[in-house]
C-alpha cells in the first residue's frame, strides 16, 4: 500500500466500532512479533494534562540525546502528528509500511474466525511497529480512553506509569464516580514498575495509592507546591525547581504548573533507573516544549487563543488562566463540543466572562449540534449565536472584538485545526 491506500484502509476500520479490552490487541500484536515488548515505555493516563506532560517529557529526553517516540491522539492539525519521533511526524512511506504489516495481521485474524481489531487498536499497532522500526530509546505512550482496558495497556513492564489529573470524563465507559474512574486509569500500574502521579482529589488518590501498594510500585506524588518563584502570563511561565533550578516554559496557565511538576518528577525517577539527563537538557527541553491547541495564541489584535478544554476540570483551569492573564479585557468565545462531554458545567462556569458567544458544530461523528449547544448556552448568556460555518464564527469574532480584546476558541480538539486554517486564510495568524 502507498500512503493514500493505507489511510483509506485505516479509515475503513472505523466500521468495527469502539471496544474496550485487551484480547484483540494482544492477538494482533502477537501476530506482529510482540514488538511492543522491545520498547522502553513511559505510559501516561489521566483526564487532563496528558498531552502537555507528554510534550515536556518528549522534549527533555530529545534534548538529552535520546530517540523518543510519542503516540498521542487525537490529532489536532495533522493526522501524522499522532505518531512522532523526536517531534517529527511519521513519514508517509513509513506509515504505509507499518500499516501494511498491521493490515496483513488483521486479515489473518479474520481468516482464523476472529473479530477485526478496532481503529484505535489498528493505530496503536501501527505506532508500536513504527517505533520498533525506528529503534526508539524511549516511547511516550498516551492512553486513548481510561487505562485498564485501553489498547495501550498491553504494555507489560513500563519504565514508568504516569497519572495526570483525574476528573469526571467518559462516564459511560469508565464509571460514575472519581473512585471508579481512578480505578480504571490506575490500571496502567504494573507489578514492580515505578509510578508517578500528580496530586489528585482524595478519592482518586486513595485508589491509586492502594493499587501502587498492592503492586509493589515505587510510587511518588509530584507536588507542585515545591516549585517556587512562580510567575506566568499569556505567553509563558517560569519557576524554580528544587533539583533543576530555574525553568522557563512557553506552555502557560495555572494547570501547567501541575503538569510541569509531574513531568520533572518522572525525570527524577528515571534518572535513578538508567535514563540520565543533564540539567542543561532539562532546562532546554522545558523551554522548547510546544503543544498545539493548549492555551495557544494563534493571532493578535485581537489576540485569539485556542484551547482543548472539554470538561469541567479543564474549564476551571481555563477560567483561572483567563482571569489571571487578561483581567479587564473583553472576551469573545467560540465553542464546539462533543455530545458526551460535560458541556453544561463548562458553560455555566465560563460564559459569564464573555461579551458574546458563538457556537459551532465540530466535524466529528460525536459532535453536539451547534444549535443545541447555543440553546444550552442561552441559559447562561444573553448574546449567543450559532454559526452554520466556522469561517463565519471566526469572521464575526474578529470583527466584533476590540483590538485589545481576546477571542477564545475552546471545547473539542476536533475543530481547532480547521479554525486555525480559517484564521490563516484571513491573514490574521501570527
Amino acid at each position: 500500500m502507498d500512503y493514500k491506500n493505507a489511510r483509506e484502509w485505516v479509515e475503513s476500520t472505523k466500521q468495527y466500532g469502539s471496544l474496550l479490552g485487551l484480547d484483540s490487541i494482544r492477538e494482533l500484536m502477537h501476530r506482529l512479533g510482540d514488538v511492543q515488548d522491545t520498547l522502553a515505555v513511559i505510559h501516561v493516563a489521566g483526564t487532563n494534562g496528558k498531552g502537555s506532560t507528554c510534550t515536556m517529557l518528549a522534549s527533555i529526553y530529545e534534548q538529552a540525546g535520546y530517540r523518543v517516540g510519542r503516540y498521542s491522539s487525537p490529532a489536532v492539525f495533522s493526522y501524522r502528528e499522532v505518531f512522532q519521533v523526536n517531534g517529527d511526524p511519521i513519514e508517509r512511506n513509513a506509515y504505509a509500511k507499518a500499516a501494511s504489516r498491521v493490515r496483513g495481521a488483521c486479515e489473518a485474524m479474520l481468516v482464523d474466525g476472529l473479530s477485526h481489531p478496532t481503529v484505535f487498536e489498528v493505530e496503536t499497532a501501527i505506532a508500536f511497529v513504527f517505533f520498533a522500526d525506528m529503534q526508539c530509546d524511549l516511547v511516550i505512550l498516551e492512553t486513548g480512553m481510561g487505562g485498564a482496558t485501553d489498547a495501550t495497556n498491553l504494555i507489560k513492564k513500563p519504565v514508568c506509569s504516569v497519572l495526570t489529573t483525574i476528573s469526571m470524563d467518559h462516564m459511560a465507559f469508565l464509571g460514575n464516580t472519581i473512585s471508579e474512574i481512578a480505578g480504571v486509569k490506575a490500571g496502567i500500574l504494573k507489578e514492580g514498575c515505578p509510578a508517578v502521579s500528580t496530586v489528585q482529589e482524595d478519592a482518586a488518590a486513595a485508589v491509586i495509592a492502594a493499587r501502587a501498594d498492592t503492586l509493589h510500585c515505587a510510587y511518588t506524588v509530584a507536588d507542585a507546591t515545591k516549585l517556587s518563584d512562580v510567575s506566568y502570563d499569556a505567553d509563558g511561565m517560569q519557576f524554580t525547581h528544587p533539583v533543576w533550578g530555574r525553568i522557563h516554559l512557553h506552555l502557560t496557565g495555572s494547570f501547567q504548573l501541575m503538569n510541569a511538576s509531574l513531568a520533572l518528577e518522572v525525570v527524577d525517577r528515571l534518572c535513578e533507573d538508567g535514563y540520565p539527563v543533564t540539567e542543561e537538557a532539562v532546562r532546554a527541553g522545558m523551554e522548547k516544549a510546544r503543544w498545539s491547541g493548549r492555551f495557544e495564541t494563534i493571532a493578535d489584535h485581537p489576540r485569539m487563543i485556542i484551547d482543548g478544554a472539554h470538561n469541567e476540570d479543564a474549564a476551571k483551569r481555563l477560567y483561572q488562566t483567563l482571569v489571571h492573564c487578561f483581567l479587564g479585557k473583553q472576551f469573545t468565545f467560540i465553542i464546539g463540543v462533543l455530545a458526551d462531554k460535560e458541556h453544561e458545567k463548562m458553560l455555566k462556569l465560563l460564559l459569564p466572562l464573555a461579551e458574546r458567544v458563538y457556537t459551532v458544530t465540530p466535524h466529528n461523528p460525536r459532535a453536539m449540534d451547534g444549535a443545541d449547544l447555543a440553546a444550552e448556552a442561552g441559559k447562561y448568556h444573553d448574546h449567543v449565536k450559532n454559526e452554520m460555518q466556522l469561517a463565519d464564527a471566526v469572521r464575526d469574532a474578529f470583527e466584533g472584538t476590540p483590538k485589545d480584546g481576546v477571542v477564545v476558541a475552546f471545547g473539542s480538539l476536533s475543530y481547532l485545526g480547521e479554525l486555525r486554517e480559517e484564521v490563516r486564510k484571513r491573514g490574521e495568524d501570527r
Side-chain angles (χ1 to χ4, degrees), residues 162-221:
V162 182
L163 291 169
T164 67
T165 304
I166 294 172
S167 60
M168 302 300 289
D169 199 22
H170 296 299
M171 284 84 77
F173 301 96
L174 306 181
N176 294 312
T177 68
I178 287 291
S179 295
E180 290 174 338
I181 294 172
V184 175
K185 292 184 184 289
I188 69 168
L189 274 61
K190 301 297 192 305
E191 179 78 36
C193 297
V196 181
S197 173
T198 190
V199 174
Q200 306 283 357
E201 292 186 28
D202 289 346
V207 170
I208 298 165
R211 179 168 175 82
D213 184 61
T214 298
L215 295 175
H216 307 102
C217 299
Y219 177 59
T220 54
V221 176

Side-chain angles (χ1 to χ4, degrees), residues 395-414:
R395 179 201 63 216
D396 290 348
F398 272 112
E399 293 179 357
T401 306
K403 292 299 183 183
D404 65 347
V406 184
V407 179
V408 186
F410 64 92
S412 171
L413 288 169
S414 59

Side-chain angles (χ1 to χ4, degrees), residues 334-337 358-362 367-371 373-374 385-394 410 415 419:
I334 301 174
I335 314 172
V337 301
Y358 301 102
T359 62
V360 296
T361 306
M368 182 178 189
D369 187 275
L373 180 60
K385 179 182 179 182
N386 175 49
E387 298 278 20
M388 298 302 293
Q389 300 296 327
L390 186 56
D392 295 336
V394 170
F410 64 92
Y415 83 98
L419 182 141

Side-chain angles (χ1 to χ4, degrees), residues 277-402:
V277 297
T278 64
E279 185 174 314
E280 291 75 17
V282 170
R283 290 183 179 180
M286 293 293 276
E287 198 280 330
K288 292 177 182 293
R290 301 289 190 279
W291 187 221
S292 296
R294 275 67 173 184
F295 207 82
E296 179 186 10
T297 296
I298 62 172
D300 298 292
H301 313 302
R303 181 187 288 257
M304 174 175 273
I305 293 168
I306 56 176
D307 190 81
H310 63 279
N311 54 39
E312 183 183 14
D313 189 48
K316 288 178 180 177
R317 298 178 184 190
L318 177 59
Y319 178 94
Q320 292 168 357
T321 305
L322 291 175
V323 170
H324 175 88
C325 295
F326 302 111
L327 186 63
K329 298 294 185 182
Q330 182 174 303
F331 291 106
T332 298
F333 288 166
I334 301 174
I335 314 172
V337 301
L338 302 185
D340 58 354
K341 300 298 180 180
E342 292 185 297
H343 43 268
E344 188 164 2
K345 292 179 179 178
M346 290 200 309
L347 299 175
K348 184 176 182 179
L349 174 66
L350 285 167
L351 293 200
L353 288 178
E355 183 73 17
R356 59 185 58 80
V357 178
Y358 301 102
T359 62
V360 296
T361 306
H363 289 146
N364 186 298
R366 293 159 50 207
M368 182 178 189
D369 187 275
D372 294 335
L373 180 60
E376 282 206 13
K379 300 175 184 177
Y380 309 106
H381 203 284
D382 293 332
H383 302 287
V384 180
K385 179 182 179 182
N386 175 49
E387 298 278 20
M388 298 302 293
Q389 300 296 327
L390 186 56
D392 295 336
V394 170
R395 179 201 63 216
D396 290 348
F398 272 112
E399 293 179 357
T401 306

Side-chain angles (χ1 to χ4, degrees), residues 77 81 104 107 121 126 193 227 243 260 324:
F77 301 119
E81 74 188 22
E107 290 174 346
E121 290 167 339
I126 290 172
C193 297
L227 308 181
V243 174
H324 175 88

